[in-house]
Amino acid sequence: MTDDKMTIDTSAELMENDALPQTREVHTDPNAKPVTQGQLPRALAEPATKKSPAQWAYERIILYIQNFEKQLDNDHEVGMGLTGSDTGVIRIEGLGYYDPDIITYYGTNQSGAKTQLIQHVSQLNVSLVASPKHIDQPEPKRIGFQLATALDRSEDVTS
């Protein structure tokens, strides 16, 4: 109830609100920007029930990568730390999904070898790491911003 007026949601509105994404973040730093601050890309305004688990995970990972990159200086790029192997950190150069349940990360490791991680959404575990950019590279690559642009397009985000 607001302003002494009672509002009643229709059953369709209740179901839609249940399917729309919800998030909550708490930080010790009062200036920390939550991943969902500001306007969400068009793709994330669609109900999650209309998406495969892979597409839904892919879209949210993009937001986290983009938000992480906003906090980096010009000497660092986003990398991904891996556990359970000796691969170490991968510089993220691409991200994709394969319906209904596979997420894949493309990149290079610290020694420059091409690397791809293929992960089932039930095993999703990503550690974003600030990685130094290449010394001969004038500007850091910002993959999160490129990926987020695709989420705002009306066509399929994988194109």
Side-chain angles (χ1 to χ4, degrees):
M1 242 194 307
T2 58
D3 299 331
D4 296 328
K5 295 179 185 177
M6 185 159 67
T7 60
I8 300 173
D9 289 335
T10 66
S11 57
E13 289 170 324
L14 287 171
M15 286 177 57
E16 184 176 273
N17 289 340
D18 232 11
L20 292 175
Q22 297 180 30
T23 183
R24 179 166 171 80
E25 292 183 30
V26 177
H27 296 271
T28 57
D29 178 359
N31 298 318
K33 306 274 191 255
V35 72
T36 56
Q37 181 176 353
Q39 187 171 351
L40 291 175
R42 183 182 322 194
L44 282 161
E46 299 168 1
T49 55
K50 294 184 177 185
K51 301 174 185 181
S52 71
Q55 181 181 357
W56 187 218
Y58 168 84
E59 291 171 357
R60 289 176 292 156
I61 290 168
I62 289 171
L63 284 184
Y64 282 107
I65 289 172
Q66 184 183 36
N67 191 54
F68 188 82
E69 285 179 334
K70 287 178 184 176
Q71 301 169 52
L72 298 177
D73 59 27
N74 271 349
D75 294 326
H76 291 86
E77 299 175 336
V78 66
M80 181 174 66
L82 301 177
T83 60
S85 74
D86 59 356
T87 306
V89 174
I90 294 174
R91 177 173 279 107
I92 301 173
E93 297 169 349
L95 175 69
Y97 69 93
Y98 195 121
D99 280 337
D101 54 7
I102 298 293
I103 300 288
T104 187
Y105 304 88
Y106 302 90
T108 53
N109 65 13
Q110 290 115 326
S111 60
K114 280 197 160 301
T115 307
Q116 181 179 1
L117 171 67
I118 302 166
Q119 192 169 44
H120 190 273
V121 293
S122 67
Q123 300 295 314
L124 195 56
N125 186 3
V126 177
S127 173
L128 300 178
V129 178
S131 298
K133 69 177 178 61
H134 287 284
I135 215 161
D136 57 348
Q137 185 179 315
E139 295 292 321
K141 294 179 183 175
R142 297 291 187 230
I143 186 72
F145 293 94
Q146 294 170 349
L147 292 166
T149 299
L151 292 181
D152 263 333
R153 294 188 302 206
S154 56
E155 65 265 16
D156 187 343
V157 294
T158 58
S159 54

